[in-house]
Amino acid sequence: MNRLIFIFLLLTQVLSAQQITEKLAQATQNLLKTSAAYSANISVYVADAEGRLVYEYNGNQGLSSASTQKIFTAGAALETLGADYRYTTTVSYDGKISGGSLNGNLLITSNGDSTLGSWRYDGYKPEDFKKKLLAALQQHGIKKITGNLIIDDTYFDFQTVPGGWPWNDLGNYYGAGVWGVNWRENQFDLQMNGRDMKSVNIDLPHVNWVSDLKTGGTSDQSLVFTAPFSNVAYINGTLPNKNMTVSGATPNPPLSLGTEIQKWLQQSDIEFNGEITTGNLQRIAGQTVHTSGGPKILEYQSPTLDKIIYWFMRKSVNLYGETLIKTLGKEKMNDGSFAAGITYLKDFWKGKGIHPAMINFADGSGLSPQNYVSAKAEVQALLWSSKQRWFTIFHDGFPTQGNGMKMKSGTMKNTKSFAGYHTTKDGNKYVYAVILNNYQGADITEALYRILNILK
């Protein structure tokens, strides 16, 4: 009798799996038959928790993945750097301290902490760094600085944004570049009233604004254009005729940090009349780059990597992904460049059994349309990650989407992707990815939900 029950249950599971496969195939074909998908490409791959194929359509086809690309960066970073990895920002000086006077330069350096001055972490906000810096100066009896304030931002190479990022994205907050010293997630916030710029939350030294903004509509349809190290910022598009915040990418975050520190010194009655400069500005000017190396007065550590990964996945912070790429390159190849980090990332996942043709990475965040990744590759990465000691950390960052499924999403113009894990009410576990490119309809998200909801 027990054997008959076992056979019955097994047949029931087989029939259920076949029904799921058939429903997924039908839903995929239904999408492809719509007018919005006339020239679309789709890659779908669904497996069970053990990696057995449930359904695929163009599973090997590489498509622009948008932010589901982040699963590769997050997994490689957790495995390579460790969940307890921290970045460090150092305050040091050259010269001597005598009679309350620092007769020399004050230097700030970092190994690329993308959370320095972030608002996301309790205990690590801008005011926390301010308090610790001023306390360190007080502890060393420094009431006057005769030299310059130098922000040494040369830990990584000079290129701050990956090649292939669209110009329309670079100046917006999600297109911020990566420096050796980052500040406030390299983002500034404009307080706008219609087309009128009322204020900005941080200093943007030497930046001149050009505006072609118009008022109209009910939502933010503006675009901010800034470029690394540029003194010109441009904004166009339309904004509603009301108060609202528009966020952009800081063109020189280390210099913005330096001007903010100057204000802190003034507020604390610490005399400072020197210049504010950065390592990369010295390089641009053809000067010898003045790096740190003297006595340290403060070592300021970032939150641990597990907390960074959470926000990287939950809010899809592109800056975190590109910083992790450069960090992987620096740590594993002694080369803090995007090229080195991308090479390491691809080799890492090749080593986990993913065919290299299915992971043609261009960056660490998915913002570049030059990323070509397949749904099968994403599922393979998810399956491998599910067996690692840090999986809970990794999966906690996946947001719950509008259809109630907990999964990473990706969005670019005419592009949508989802990847994640799902357990049905009956206990069946699925690992899946779907990537849709060149879909012309406004309901692109709902179009993919109609496929994924079958797994619920």
Side-chain angles (χ1 to χ4, degrees):
M1 181 63 70
N2 288 339
R3 185 177 180 184
L4 290 174
I5 293 173
F6 173 77
I7 293 172
F8 174 76
L9 291 174
L10 182 61
L11 287 172
T12 301
Q13 290 175 350
V14 170
L15 289 172
S16 176
Q18 289 176 343
Q19 290 175 349
I20 290 292
T21 300
E22 291 170 1
K23 289 180 179 179
L24 287 168
Q26 186 61 57
T28 302
Q29 289 304 315
N30 289 344
L31 183 152
L32 291 172
K33 290 176 183 177
T34 63
S35 59
Y38 181 80
S39 295
N41 290 311
I42 191 169
S43 180
V44 185
Y45 200 91
V46 181
D48 66 16
E50 300 306 316
R52 292 182 290 262
L53 176 65
V54 174
Y55 172 74
E56 73 168 314
Y57 183 89
N58 289 340
N60 294 350
Q61 185 174 9
L63 297 174
S64 294
S65 55
S67 282
T68 51
Q69 162 88 2
K70 291 179 170 69
I71 64 177
F72 297 100
T73 305
L78 283 167
E79 181 67 13
T80 303
L81 304 173
D84 294 329
Y85 182 88
R86 293 178 186 264
Y87 291 91
T88 302
T89 299
T90 301
V91 182
S92 62
Y93 65 91
D94 59 18
K96 293 183 178 181
I97 299 172
S98 176
S101 177
L102 167 57
N103 299 308
N105 301 308
L106 186 69
L107 300 105
I108 314 290
T109 191
S110 180
N111 61 345
D113 180 8
S114 56
T115 71
L116 185 65
S118 172
W119 58 92
R120 301 184 197 274
Y121 308 86
D122 290 338
Y124 297 91
K125 299 181 189 297
E127 56 267 27
D128 295 302
F129 180 65
K130 173 184 176 180
K131 288 176 183 177
K132 291 189 176 182
L133 171 59
L134 293 176
L137 293 171
Q138 184 179 19
Q139 183 179 357
H140 286 78
I142 298 174
K143 298 180 180 179
K144 179 180 180 180
I145 301 169
T146 65
N148 299 323
L149 174 58
I150 302 172
I151 314 297
D152 177 11
D153 55 349
T154 59
Y155 181 76
F156 296 137
D157 72 342
F158 187 79
Q159 183 181 345
T160 64
V161 294
W165 274 17
W167 173 232
N168 275 16
D169 291 333
L170 287 187
N172 295 285
Y173 70 94
Y174 56 83
V178 178
W179 276 257
V181 177
N182 303 294
W183 180 240
R184 294 181 180 264
E185 296 195 2
N186 300 349
Q187 173 181 322
F188 63 86
D189 298 325
L190 295 171
Q191 300 305 317
M192 306 293 298
N193 186 347
R195 58 185 293 181
D196 297 327
M197 190 181 303
K198 296 299 183 182
S199 64
V200 60
N201 68 321
I202 63 171
D203 285 324
L204 301 174
H206 316 305
V207 171
N208 298 300
W209 280 91
V210 176
S211 174
D212 281 329
L213 270 176
K214 296 179 174 61
T215 54
T218 59
S219 64
D220 180 358
Q221 297 297 319
S222 66
L223 281 176
V224 178
F225 297 86
T226 63
F229 305 107
S230 175
N231 292 336
V232 178
Y234 175 55
I235 185 169
N236 67 11
T238 60
L239 285 174
N241 193 17
K242 63 179 183 179
N243 291 322
M244 65 185 310
T245 301
V246 174
S247 298
T250 309
N252 195 336
L255 190 61
S256 289
L257 170 60
T259 59
E260 196 157 342
I261 291 175
Q262 182 184 39
K263 289 183 178 179
W264 300 345
L265 298 176
Q266 293 171 347
Q267 292 167 1
S268 301
D269 294 324
I270 298 174
E271 185 179 343
F272 170 71
N273 297 307
E275 296 182 354
I276 303 168
T277 190
T278 74
N280 277 319
L281 286 179
Q282 291 174 331
R283 182 178 178 185
I284 291 171
Q287 302 169 356
T288 300
V289 177
H290 195 139
T291 59
S292 56
K296 298 176 183 178
I297 66 171
L298 174 65
E299 285 193 347
Y300 182 88
Q301 291 194 316
S302 73
T304 50
L305 184 64
D306 57 342
K307 296 179 177 62
I308 297 173
I309 293 295
Y310 174 85
W311 287 112
F312 174 49
M313 301 296 280
R314 180 59 60 94
K315 292 298 184 182
S316 215
V317 184
N318 294 332
L319 171 66
Y320 290 3
E322 305 314 328
T323 303
L324 288 170
I325 285 296
K326 285 201 165 191
T327 300
L328 290 171
K330 189 76 169 182
E331 293 278 353
K332 303 305 294 185
M333 304 178 72
N334 197 30
D335 181 355
S337 68
F338 292 116
I342 291 300
T343 296
Y344 177 80
L345 186 68
K346 186 164 186 174
D347 288 344
F348 177 91
W349 288 108
K350 281 170 57 181
K352 309 308 175 191
I354 298 179
H355 195 290
M358 297 194 301
I359 45 172
N360 193 10
F361 302 137
D363 64 19
S365 67
L367 186 58
S368 174
Q370 295 179 6
N371 289 296
Y372 293 102
V373 175
S374 74
K376 181 178 180 180
E378 293 192 337
V379 169
Q380 287 178 305
L382 292 171
L383 285 165
W384 181 83
S385 298
S386 70
K387 297 175 175 60
Q388 308 311 309
R389 64 194 181 283
W390 39 258
F391 174 67
T392 300
I393 296 167
F394 175 76
H395 191 231
D396 278 351
F398 283 46
T400 300
Q401 303 296 335
N403 67 342
M405 297 174 73
K406 186 177 173 68
M407 53 189 174
K408 188 73 192 81
S409 67
T411 306
M412 293 194 302
K413 184 178 181 181
N414 299 332
T415 292
K416 192 73 182 182
S417 60
F418 290 106
Y421 311 84
H422 187 71
T423 302
T424 69
K425 294 178 181 178
D426 298 330
N428 296 318
K429 296 182 178 181
Y430 297 106
V431 185
Y432 58 89
V434 56
I435 307 169
L436 180 61
N437 283 187
N438 204 33
Y439 185 85
Q440 302 299 312
D443 63 340
I444 185 170
T445 297
E446 293 298 326
L448 292 186
Y449 283 169
R450 285 190 284 272
I451 296 175
L452 294 173
N453 287 345
I454 292 168
L455 299 177
K456 294 168 68 175

